[in-house]
Amino acid sequence: KYRIQLSLDPSFNTTVFTAKTTASTYAYLTNLTNAKTYYWRIQPRYGDTWGDWLPALMFYSKNPPTAPELVSPLSGTITNDNDVTLTWNTAERGEYYRVQIAKDLLFTTTVLDETLGTGILSKSLPDFADGKYYWRVRAYDEVDAKGKWSAVWSFKVDTKPPAVTALYKPKNGAVKTSTPNFSWYAASGAKTYVFEYGTTPGFTTPTYSSPSLAVLSHKPPAMAEGTYYWRVRAFDKAGNESVSAERMITI
């Protein structure tokens, strides 16, 4: 049999606990106080006689690092920039970090699993392929004790523009006596549209641009007499755009 003691006092004048066991291990299941020096020792029994206490050993208590807080990109972000940088805040007691990126929420298919150097709080992903990704980070302390994973956030890289919008009315070359209502067809993948016109074909700087539109038509402010060229730009959630063909109209 063995008597085991745990103390914060190297002289064992007071003890955290004293217990007896017949095994060669003992599990103390109460949380230790963080950042303390503990001392422990055992006393063996031979038959009915207790022997001397064996020399005490010491160890340091330290809670594992906290879970890091993710910073950017915000969860649910959709970007058309395939140069992505992940950032997070310092975790309490964190010395270095491990970052994982996966194609699924359970991280069964990881596309990145990397342990970074001391104190690094970001990971750059140049030329990252289009797709939806999930990411998380965990911290390790200086003795390699690992903390819990952070929350799981997602982001989507989308560099593909929406389909080109087909214009509807007025028809190309139309002549109108007043400003008409311009309309176009929905483009696959588009979420918003911007109507534009200029006074020269192939215009790079429009005379007029509408605000972002969620509808498929727009009547601009009154247009003076003259010949105009108009088009519609389509935008998806990521900000990718496509530009329709131009049509001419005369007021």
Side-chain angles (χ1 to χ4, degrees):
K1 181 177 289 187
Y2 304 90
R3 181 182 287 126
I4 180 171
Q5 287 184 335
L6 180 69
S7 178
L8 291 167
D9 175 11
S11 299
F12 290 86
N13 293 318
T14 60
T15 60
V16 176
F17 76 86
T18 298
K20 295 177 182 178
T21 180
T22 58
S24 60
T25 62
Y26 183 81
Y28 180 59
L29 302 180
T30 302
N31 288 340
L32 301 178
T33 302
N34 185 45
K36 295 290 185 180
T37 302
Y38 282 85
Y39 303 86
W40 70 286
R41 64 183 183 177
I42 60 170
Q43 181 185 30
R45 194 177 77 174
Y46 308 96
D48 295 328
T49 303
W50 287 99
D52 294 332
W53 287 100
L54 299 181
L57 298 179
M58 62 179 287
F59 64 89
Y60 301 102
S61 65
K62 190 172 186 180
N63 290 336
T66 58
E69 293 182 354
L70 306 184
V71 176
S72 66
L74 295 176
S75 191
T77 293
I78 302 176
T79 178
N80 59 6
D81 185 354
N82 56 8
D83 290 339
V84 180
T85 298
L86 310 178
T87 63
W88 54 92
N89 286 329
T90 301
E92 186 176 351
R93 298 181 296 279
E95 184 78 5
Y96 62 96
Y97 300 86
R98 177 184 176 188
V99 56
Q100 281 188 340
I101 305 173
K103 297 286 287 184
D104 64 294
L105 191 57
L106 297 178
F107 288 81
T108 56
T109 307
T110 57
V111 295
L112 179 79
D113 188 345
E114 184 174 339
T115 299
L116 306 176
T118 301
I120 296 176
L121 300 174
S122 65
K123 175 60 182 178
S124 296
L125 310 168
D127 298 322
F128 217 57
D130 281 22
K132 184 175 183 179
Y133 300 94
Y134 300 87
W135 66 290
R136 63 184 180 180
V137 179
R138 83 183 328 166
Y140 292 76
D141 66 16
E142 70 275 10
V143 294
D144 303 325
K146 61 186 177 184
K148 292 183 178 180
W149 285 107
S150 68
V152 176
W153 281 10
S154 68
F155 66 92
K156 183 177 182 181
V157 178
D158 177 10
T159 60
K160 183 180 178 181
V164 174
T165 304
L167 305 182
Y168 180 37
K169 291 181 179 179
K171 67 180 181 180
N172 191 37
V175 177
K176 299 291 183 180
T177 58
S178 61
T179 302
N181 189 49
F182 295 85
S183 60
W184 52 93
Y185 294 100
S188 177
K191 296 300 177 182
T192 58
Y193 304 89
V194 172
F195 164 84
E196 295 178 333
Y197 68 73
T199 56
T200 57
F203 57 91
T204 55
T205 301
T207 304
Y208 170 84
S209 292
S210 73
S212 180
L213 305 169
V215 295
L216 301 176
S217 63
H218 179 68
K219 186 172 183 177
M223 300 166 68
E225 290 184 357
T227 298
Y228 300 90
Y229 300 86
W230 65 283
R231 67 187 181 190
V232 174
R233 295 159 60 200
F235 295 85
D236 63 15
K237 283 185 177 180
N240 298 299
E241 71 170 293
S242 61
V243 183
S244 72
E246 293 180 8
R247 282 187 179 179
M248 183 181 73
I249 183 174
T250 299
I251 308 295

